[in-house]
Amino acid sequence: MSILQIENLTKIYGKGETAVKALDNVSFSVKKGEFVVIIGPSGSGKSTLLHLLGGVDRPTSGKVLVDNTDIYQLNETELAIFRRRQIGLIYQFYNLIPILTVEENITLPMLLDGHKVDQKQFNEMVDILGLKHRLTHLPNQLSGGQQQRVSIGRALINTPAIMLADEPTGNLDSKNTDEIMELLKMFNKTYNQTLIVITHDERIALQADRVIAIEDGKMTKDEVIRS
Ligand code: ADP
Ligand code: ADP
């Protein structure tokens, strides 16, 4: 069953002479629970693709269907709700809010949605993430690996169907890289959560079910490693 269908997706930034075609007619679909790695040179359109999959931006043309919902037919409010419920986003530089504690950073998407935090679920999650004794710390009191685990917690709090990660280990040493990937793969396998990761790290690409390569805005490779 496919959770994600991308149809003829094109993104052009700017207009006229300075226009940049960042994505050029990209189509593919992703099965529920699949772990997909996206590789490609810098500037090839990987982040643009990830943002369009996550409802963060709008395409110039083409469609993104998540669970058969055409997400760019939604209005801004509906799209924001879709993002918070269905998509977990993780970035290279964590994007935590510096003045909020670990607990506040993690629970923010739930509170924004007007939901009460399920304390049992929250406790279990921070335990798995190894953050139980860091809940009242501020982001700048944590290591890079810990900050990335906070951002994973924030992405997971609404139990999204799809986890999108843009170079999640790009700022981490190899030990922390392994820890972060083990966590992401654990949620992928245990909860059948679809996982899409942009990376330059070949070791990570080898762990995926499937590798998609993007060059110059076009899909140049789509290789299933294990199914
Ligand atoms: P990658 O993630 O593979 O490095 P990006 O998706 O970030 O590639 O960028 C693809 C192309 O689109 C690049 O040429 C980049 O300069 C351009 N681009 C990305 N974001 C914007 C933007 N907000 N405005 C204008 N051009 C952009
Ligand atoms: P805005 O209303 O400005 O579009 P959001 O309400 O989408 O912002 O998100 C507010 C904060 O919560 C941001 O810091 C954003 O990075 C974070 N956030 C929202 N949804 C998610 C998610 N699914 N995964 C990770 N972080 C999220």
Side-chain angles (χ1 to χ4, degrees):
M1 193 192 88
S2 89
I3 179 113
L4 194 58
Q5 281 166 271
I6 293 102
E7 294 175 9
N8 305 108
L9 206 57
T10 294
K11 176 70 182 182
I12 300 170
Y13 292 109
K15 282 196 169 71
E17 302 228 320
T18 56
V20 174
K21 195 181 254 189
L23 269 190
D24 189 0
N25 208 26
V26 170
S27 303
F28 61 94
S29 62
V30 175
K31 284 189 281 192
K32 183 164 171 53
E34 205 168 16
F35 171 19
V36 180
V37 153
I38 299 176
I39 57 168
S42 183
S44 58
K46 305 182 297 298
S47 299
T48 298
L49 175 61
L50 207 73
H51 283 148
L52 290 175
L53 302 187
V56 179
D57 202 354
R58 285 182 183 268
T60 305
S61 60
K63 283 185 188 176
V64 174
L65 288 94
V66 177
D67 239 350
N68 294 318
T69 298
D70 186 343
I71 64 169
Y72 292 109
Q73 293 294 319
L74 303 175
N75 66 33
E76 285 306 319
T77 309
E78 292 166 336
L79 192 61
I81 293 170
F82 156 81
R83 266 201 312 272
R84 284 202 291 273
R85 303 223 174 119
Q86 300 292 338
I87 303 293
L89 256 172
I90 302 172
Y91 297 95
Q92 179 172 1
F93 295 107
Y94 328 123
N95 287 13
L96 300 174
I97 297 178
I99 58 165
L100 298 184
T101 64
V102 165
E103 177 160 9
E104 290 164 344
N105 265 287
I106 292 176
T107 54
L108 185 64
M110 259 205 144
L111 302 177
L112 286 171
D113 237 6
H115 291 302
K116 249 184 76 186
V117 175
D118 178 338
Q119 207 58 41
K120 185 166 167 283
Q121 183 215 349
F122 175 81
N123 290 341
E124 275 173 19
M125 189 180 74
V126 292
D127 205 11
I128 292 169
L129 294 172
L131 294 170
K132 216 164 59 176
H133 304 293
R134 295 285 179 275
L135 295 180
T136 57
H137 287 61
L138 294 171
N140 69 8
Q141 298 173 309
L142 303 177
S143 72
Q146 288 171 332
Q147 289 185 60
Q148 194 57 299
R149 283 186 265 136
V150 175
S151 95
I152 293 175
R154 177 183 62 189
L156 285 169
I157 191 80
N158 285 334
T159 57
I162 303 173
M163 182 71 96
L164 304 174
D166 193 345
E167 303 265 12
T169 63
N171 198 39
L172 300 176
D173 62 20
S174 63
K175 178 174 163 283
N176 277 297
T177 293
D178 290 345
E179 281 176 17
I180 292 298
M181 285 315 300
E182 284 312 312
L183 281 170
L184 291 177
K185 285 193 295 182
M186 193 273 286
F187 289 109
N188 168 243
K189 293 294 168 251
T190 311
Y191 302 108
N192 209 26
Q193 185 179 53
T194 307
L195 174 63
I196 304 182
V197 178
I198 294 178
T199 187
H200 281 109
D201 188 336
E202 246 174 60
R203 283 165 48 245
I204 294 175
L206 290 171
Q207 299 167 24
D209 299 325
R210 176 176 171 196
V211 177
I212 288 175
I214 305 283
E215 275 178 57
D216 224 359
K218 295 189 177 70
M219 201 162 99
T220 54
K221 184 171 100 171
D222 183 1
E223 187 181 359
V224 175
I225 299 178
R226 51 183 78 81
S227 54

